[in-house]
């Protein structure tokens, strides 16, 4: 790595989950606070690749991305690899791709400015510490915000599902303190956020003490946010079936701003596979949790994650996954082919499922999930609902927003981004709804 001028412009590209996107936003704010300004990818002096290690395909993207950053004259921007690949591979990245100047893990990115300065001096800077002093306190105040904001409240994971890298790349479960979360929420609302999504790999394991020193769970935090003027909607993700407290279930029936949506991954419907995955729940306990949420909030939309082709998965196991999908009825879902990850226990398990078999199972599962998603969307046609407008649509005068059930809704409107409007749903496709602004009733 050669010495280079200190960068004056930057570009952050995020590849991972919502927490990774949140980290990307905070890194951008940090660089702006240092006087750098944002630029397009190809032109920036510093490109931060904020990576994801969850599946092999995601992790490999970083190397093709590094190759692509070469300019016509052969020069390259300074490259910083951040995120979960940085944590997992550390110095190996700089050995494999010598043009990388900075490698920084997800718990150390508050030190990005020092690392960039070091790299500008010609020294490859690597920091994959998981410092005891939390990074959040060292980050500058929030600077910009769209109508819908992410707010990480819980980091890390202690669950150690046998296929998953997150406990290794993000470290142990830590909850951010109550006051820090509330301050950040207020700052986001001051900057125009009308919806806040609380984030954590196990967000429902969040615990803290409120201003009065009382112990609170996630529902306590949600109830406190509900009282903040200017905030209209609260969401949270991702939840684990084993950490569902009664207070959170009840909140769905009682807290006006809490949206009727629950992302609750099950991964498989086979109890044998769930055991091998170390999920610590079975299909029955999962369905009972869903039932509790539905009794508190009958219209709640359920979303999930699935893995097919886990080592040892038989046709029968897979049929059990299709059955739990049938029994649950999903509004939305993400499904993946199992990807062996280095260092995880499942990677060395017997019973590797051939790629073709896993591919076929994935297709069958996705066909069923798509069918459910379409049916869920079609049930909205003719209904009236509110929509938070988030961005411009493809056509002039068109805006796109989200329904309470997280469906994308397209409509033509005079209203502005950030407005909450009443919409009549006119038609539905598999991925979005089309609507028209409802005429206001005279009082
Ligand atoms: N903490 C969340 C999600 C973590 S990662 C939870 O426990 O639900 C998001 C999703 O990626 C997981 O739910 C799982 O479905 C998928 N995933 C994780 N590791 C994987 C792997 N090795 N191969 C394929 N999919 C994986
Ligand atoms: Fe990974 Fe399991 Fe933790 Fe989710 S709960 S992050 S799948 S180890
Ligand atoms: Fe990926 Fe790390 Fe998120 S591995 S899914 S970016 S926690």
């Amino acid at each position: 790595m050669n010495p280079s001028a200190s960068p004056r412009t930057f570009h952050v590209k995020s590849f991972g989950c919502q927490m990774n996107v949140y980290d990307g936003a905070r890194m951008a704010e940090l660089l702006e606070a240092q006087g750098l300004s944002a630029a397009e990818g190809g032109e920036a002096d510093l490109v931060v690749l904020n990576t994801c290690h969850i599946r092999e395909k995601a992790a490999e993207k970083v190397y093709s991305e590094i190759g692509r950053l070469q300019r016509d004259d052969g020069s390259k921007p300074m490259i910083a690899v951040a995120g979960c690949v940085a944590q997992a591979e550390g110095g190996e990245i700089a050995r494999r791709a010598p043009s990388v100047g900075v490698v920084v893990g997800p718990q150390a990115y508050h030190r990005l400015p020092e690392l960039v300065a070091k790299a500008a001096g010609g020294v490859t800077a690597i920091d994959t510490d998981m410092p005891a002093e939390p990074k959040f306190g060292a980050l500058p105040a929030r600077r910009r915000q769209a109508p819908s904001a992410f707010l990480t409240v819980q980091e890390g994971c202690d669950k150690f599902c046998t296929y998953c890298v997150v406990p290794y790349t993000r470290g142990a479960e830590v909850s951010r303190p109550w006051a820090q979360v509330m301050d950040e929420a207020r700052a986001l609302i001051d900057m125009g956020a009308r919806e806040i999504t609380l984030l954590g790999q196990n967000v429902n394991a969040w615990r803290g003490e409120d201003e009065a020193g009382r112990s609170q769970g996630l529902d306590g935090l949600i109830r406190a946010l509900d009282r903040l003027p200017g905030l209209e909607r609260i969401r949270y993700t991702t939840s684990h079936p084993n950490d569902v407290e009664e207070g959170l279930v009840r909140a769905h029936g009682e807290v006006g701003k809490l949206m009727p949506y629950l992302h609750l991954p099950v991964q498989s419907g086979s109890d044998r596979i769930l055991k091998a995955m170390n999920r610590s729940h079975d299909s029955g306990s999962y369905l009972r949790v869903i039932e509790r949420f539905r009794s508190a909030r009958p219209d709640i939309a359920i979303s999930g994650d699935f893995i097919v082709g886990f080592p040892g998965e038989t046709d029968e196991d897979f049929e059990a996954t299709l059955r739990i999908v049938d029994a649950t009825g999903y509004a939305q879902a993400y499904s993946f082919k199992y990807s062996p990850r280095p260092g995880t226990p499942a990677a060395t398990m017997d019973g590797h499922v051939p790629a073709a078999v896993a591919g076929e199972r994935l297709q069958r599962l996705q066909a069923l999930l798509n069918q459910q998603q379409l049916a869920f969307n079609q049930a909205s046609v003719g209904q009236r609902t509110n929509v938070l407008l988030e961005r411009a649509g493809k056509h002039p005068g068109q805006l796109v927003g989200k329904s309470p059930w997280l469906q994308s809704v397209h409509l033509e409107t005079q209203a502005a981004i950030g407005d909450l409007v009443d919409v009549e749903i006119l038609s539905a496709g598999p991925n979005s709804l089309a609507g028209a602004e409802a005429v206001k009733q005279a009082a």
Side-chain angles (χ1 to χ4, degrees):
M1 145 110 256
N2 296 318
S4 56
S6 291
R8 289 164 45 190
T9 59
F10 73 92
H11 181 79
V12 179
K13 190 165 178 187
S14 293
F15 295 86
C17 59
Q18 289 144 316
M19 300 181 70
N20 173 266
V21 171
Y22 171 88
D23 292 339
R26 305 257 13 208
M27 283 189 272
E29 290 169 337
L30 177 60
L31 294 169
E32 277 173 353
Q34 299 286 316
L36 281 77
S37 47
E40 286 306 307
E43 290 147 31
D45 300 333
L46 165 67
V47 175
V48 180
L49 300 175
N50 189 23
T51 59
C52 174
H53 200 242
I54 202 82
R55 285 167 290 275
E56 191 181 357
K57 259 201 200 130
E60 281 301 313
K61 257 187 212 155
V62 58
Y63 294 103
S64 54
E65 221 26 67
I66 291 168
R68 216 173 294 152
L69 284 170
Q70 179 122 7
R71 300 195 183 102
D72 289 343
D73 63 1
S75 70
K76 270 190 178 185
M78 181 191 285
I79 301 170
V81 177
C84 290
V85 178
Q87 190 64 42
E89 296 187 3
E92 188 54 35
I93 299 172
R95 275 188 288 280
R96 207 172 136 184
S99 58
V100 168
V102 174
V103 177
V104 61
Q107 307 305 0
Y109 66 76
H110 54 296
R111 299 187 190 137
L112 190 56
E114 302 150 48
L115 299 168
V116 167
K118 198 170 155 195
V123 182
T124 308
I126 298 169
D127 191 342
T128 50
D129 278 1
M130 296 206 174
E133 107 266 6
K135 68 179 175 242
F136 295 107
L139 290 169
R142 304 305 311 261
R143 295 188 146 221
R144 29 176 191 178
Q145 201 40 72
S148 178
F150 288 153
L151 204 179
T152 293
V153 301
Q154 185 263 340
E155 280 273 6
C157 182
D158 294 339
K159 295 280 189 289
F160 291 93
C161 301
T162 52
Y163 50 82
C164 184
V165 295
V166 172
Y168 312 98
T169 62
R170 295 242 161 201
E173 267 176 29
V174 182
S175 296
R176 287 181 72 188
W178 175 281
Q180 207 184 74
V181 172
M182 293 303 290
D183 285 349
E184 190 169 329
R186 283 189 206 96
L188 290 168
I189 297 163
D190 284 347
M191 277 177 297
R194 308 204 64 195
E195 171 177 285
I196 290 181
T197 304
L198 304 175
L199 300 180
Q201 285 297 353
N202 278 308
V203 71
N204 55 331
W206 185 90
R207 283 223 77 84
E209 278 184 5
D210 65 13
E211 287 100 346
R214 284 178 301 235
S215 169
Q216 297 279 2
L218 185 67
D219 59 303
L221 197 56
I222 289 171
R223 287 173 195 274
L225 290 169
D226 187 57
R227 293 190 287 270
L228 295 183
L231 186 64
E232 303 288 348
R233 291 175 160 192
I234 305 164
R235 302 181 183 277
Y236 62 92
T237 198
T238 295
S239 304
H240 192 283
N242 267 24
D243 291 328
V244 174
E245 289 181 7
E246 199 45 38
L248 182 63
V249 176
R250 269 205 316 270
H252 273 280
E254 295 168 1
V255 177
K257 292 178 187 172
L258 183 58
M259 291 294 101
Y261 189 94
L262 174 71
H263 183 63
L264 196 70
V266 67
Q267 314 299 355
S268 167
S270 154
D271 291 340
R272 209 175 61 81
I273 294 296
L274 286 170
K275 196 149 196 243
M277 287 176 163
N278 191 32
R279 281 293 292 183
S280 62
H281 61 78
D282 59 23
S283 55
S285 65
Y286 178 84
L287 288 170
R288 283 193 294 278
V289 171
I290 298 286
E291 237 355 273
R292 284 162 63 202
F293 278 101
R294 283 200 165 129
S295 345
R297 181 80 204 229
D299 68 338
I300 196 164
I302 307 293
S303 146
D305 290 348
F306 298 86
I307 297 176
V308 299
F310 186 82
E313 186 186 72
T314 62
D315 284 339
E316 228 163 278
D317 293 318
F318 175 65
E319 294 299 329
T321 298
L322 296 178
R323 279 200 300 276
I324 205 164
V325 171
D326 260 332
T328 304
Y330 288 92
Q332 222 219 320
Y334 302 90
S335 45
F336 312 97
K337 247 192 270 186
Y338 168 70
S339 169
R341 307 306 294 129
T344 60
T348 50
M349 284 180 185
D350 295 333
H352 174 83
V353 175
V357 175
E360 201 184 308
R361 286 179 191 165
L362 187 64
Q363 269 187 12
R364 280 184 66 197
L365 174 62
Q366 289 183 340
L368 177 60
L369 290 166
N370 290 344
Q371 210 182 314
Q372 291 193 341
Q373 186 171 321
L374 180 62
F376 182 82
N377 286 347
Q378 279 172 342
S380 319
V381 176
Q383 309 276 339
R384 241 188 201 213
T385 182
N386 64 63
V387 171
L388 176 62
L389 297 171
E390 292 183 22
R391 58 181 174 88
K394 277 195 197 121
H395 310 295
Q398 191 190 50
L399 293 181
V400 187
K402 293 272 165 59
S403 77
W405 302 276
L406 212 59
Q407 299 148 296
S408 286
V409 184
H410 299 250
L411 67 148
E412 266 162 36
T413 173
Q414 304 291 321
I417 289 174
D419 287 351
L420 205 57
V421 290
D422 266 331
V423 174
E424 192 175 331
I425 303 303
L426 301 174
S427 65
N431 298 313
S432 66
L433 309 176
E437 211 166 331
V439 185
K440 290 230 165 51
Q441 305 283 328

